[in-house]
């Protein structure tokens, strides 16, 4: 199945296996959950939630340097 | 879907690795506020009748701080005075200030503003243009000193008893590690839930009600509470030692949940021992120019301002 993934204003389509979770996508993208918020279809969502085909996933980076 | 471990009814939206719990939106909000209230009780940060200055930037940490403190101060019986320091960073602080103003409007609070230009005669935009002609310092080296000084001045001039700042558990853990790695044990004595030099003229004691909530939890709280906040990297932020420690701590926390809190707890235990056997510190004086408590003849803010005033105009190249 395919999901739409956004990070820092950049969007891409990701092909993933059925039953994949938000946490699986973050792991594949090498993103540390501690550094931001994960939203599914615009809402804050638990990382172990299973994705559906066509879901829109967004990672909001909250950690900035300095 | 994971069910909330607290109410066992609603879907969980947050996983708190260090507690092993998964919380729904209302239970997370209650948990977050309980942590801040508990910190306040444990360290007696805000008490009845206090006039509390609150440093607000428009960012998530200070937005969460101001919102929780409005609830806490109503309960305790204290007054809140939001203070915004305008560094003079075009396209950055002005946007964040709009969010801070929107939050204050929502809460029915008056936002007090003070700019670097007014206090030091120079904005951060101008500072960055001048600094390469002096000697190289990161922009954060100026801004950190200036912000602390300006916040203290505003809080003092407004007659605040204490100054609440949005330092969270991440900030605390980073600072503790930095002090260890730089071998600066004397700084430990001034660090904690209260910080700075206590009981000094012209100094308003800083308090950290968010010290037991993480940066990520502050962002989650603001999102779930639908608070206005600004998320944008400062254009002058540079790779710093603190930034490296931030990355390191987030990696450790991901693999070993609770590490950030353990660093804070270990530090507080060590500090108790250090209070019993105090580390020698330089005798404190007052800055000959502005009167701020400091260890030398002049405070760091006045030294940096003077350095910039004497520098010829120049443009920094290839450095943030």
């Amino acid at each position: 199945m395919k999901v739409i993934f956004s990070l820092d204003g950049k969007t891409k389509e990701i092909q993933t296996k059925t039953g994949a979770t938000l946490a699986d996508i973050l792991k594949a993208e090498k993103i540390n959950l501690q550094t931001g918020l994960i939203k599914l279809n615009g809402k804050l969502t638990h990382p172990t939630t299973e994705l559906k085909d066509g879901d829109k996933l967004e990672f909001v980076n909250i950690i900035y340097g300095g | 879907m994971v069910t909330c471990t607290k109410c066992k009814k609603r879907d969980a939206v947050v996983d708190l690795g260090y507690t092993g719990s998964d919380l729904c939106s209302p239970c997370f909000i209650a948990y977050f506020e309980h942590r801040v209230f508990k910190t306040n009780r444990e360290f007696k940060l805000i008490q009845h009748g206090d006039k509390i200055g609150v440093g607000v930037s428009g960012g998530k940490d200070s937005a969460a701080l101001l919102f929780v403190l409005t609830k806490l101060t109503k309960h305790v019986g204290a007054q809140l005075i939001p203070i915004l320091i305008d560094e003079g960073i075009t396209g950055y602080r002005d946007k964040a200030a709009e969010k801070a103003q929107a939050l204050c409007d929502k809460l029915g609070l008056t936002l007090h503003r003070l700019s670097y230009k007014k206090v030091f005669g120079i904005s951060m935009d101008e500072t960055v243009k001048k600094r390469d002609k002096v000697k190289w310092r990161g922009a954060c080296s100026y801004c950190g000193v200036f912000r602390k000084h300006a916040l203290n001045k505003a809080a003092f001039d407004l007659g605040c008893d204490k100054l609440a700042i949005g330092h969270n558990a991440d900030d605390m853990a980073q600072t503790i590690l930095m002090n260890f790695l730089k071998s600066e044990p004397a700084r430990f004595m001034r660090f904690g839930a209260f910080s700075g030099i206590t009981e000094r003229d012209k100094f308003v004691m800083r308090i950290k009600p968010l010290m037991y909530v993480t940066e990520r939890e502050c962002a989650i709280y603001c999102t779930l509470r639908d608070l206005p906040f600004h998320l944008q990297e400062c254009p002058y932020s540079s790779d710093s030692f603190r930034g490296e420690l931030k990355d390191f701590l987030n990696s450790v926390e991901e693999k070993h949940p609770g590490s950030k809190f353990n660093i804070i707890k270990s530090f507080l235990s060590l500090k108790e021992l250090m209070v019993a056997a105090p580390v020698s510190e330089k005798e404190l004086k007052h800055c000959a120019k502005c009167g701020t408590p400091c260890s030398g003849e002049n405070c760091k803010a006045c030294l940096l301002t003077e350095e910039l005033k004497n520098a010829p105009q120049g443009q920094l190249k290839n450095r943030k």
Side-chain angles (χ1 to χ4, degrees), chain A residues 41-59:
Chain A
N41 301 321
K43 285 187 176 176
L44 204 64
T45 305
H46 196 278
T48 59
T49 303
E50 281 189 18
L51 293 161
K52 295 189 197 102
D53 191 40
D55 270 345
K56 288 179 181 170
L57 183 59
E58 183 192 5
F59 187 76

Side-chain angles (χ1 to χ4, degrees), chain A residues 32 34 36 46 48 63-64, chain B residues 2 22 215-216 246 250 254:
Chain A
N32 183 342
Q34 300 302 319
H46 196 278
T48 59
I63 309 290
Y64 292 110
Chain B
V2 177
D22 301 293
E215 184 169 15
R216 181 167 168 260
K246 192 180 275 196
N250 279 327
E254 184 76 350

Side-chain angles (χ1 to χ4, degrees), chain A:
Chain A
M1 65 176 183
K2 285 178 185 170
V3 294
I4 310 294
F5 179 68
S6 303
L7 173 67
D8 292 335
K10 290 174 188 165
T11 302
K12 65 178 178 181
E13 210 172 71
I14 294 177
Q15 185 77 41
T16 187
K17 62 183 180 188
T18 305
T21 65
L22 281 77
D24 292 334
I25 301 291
L26 293 185
K27 194 175 176 186
E29 293 293 314
K30 297 188 172 67
I31 294 170
N32 183 342
L33 184 61
Q34 300 302 319
T35 62
L37 309 181
I38 186 82
K39 287 184 175 179
L40 180 62
N41 301 321
K43 285 187 176 176
L44 204 64
T45 305
H46 196 278
T48 59
T49 303
E50 281 189 18
L51 293 161
K52 295 189 197 102
D53 191 40
D55 270 345
K56 288 179 181 170
L57 183 59
E58 183 192 5
F59 187 76
V60 184
N61 188 9
I62 56 156
I63 309 290
Y64 292 110

Side-chain angles (χ1 to χ4, degrees), chain B residues 124 127-128 131 136-144 236-238 320:
Chain B
M124 268 314 289
T127 296
V128 168
R131 67 186 165 143
W136 189 81
R137 288 184 204 276
C140 301
S141 300
Y142 290 101
C143 201
Y236 300 136
S237 79
S238 52
K320 276 190 167 183

Side-chain angles (χ1 to χ4, degrees), chain B residues 63-76:
Chain B
L65 175 70
L66 187 62
F67 194 88
V68 179
L69 290 192
T70 53
K71 293 170 80 80
L72 192 149
T73 49
K74 272 179 196 163
H75 179 71
V76 172

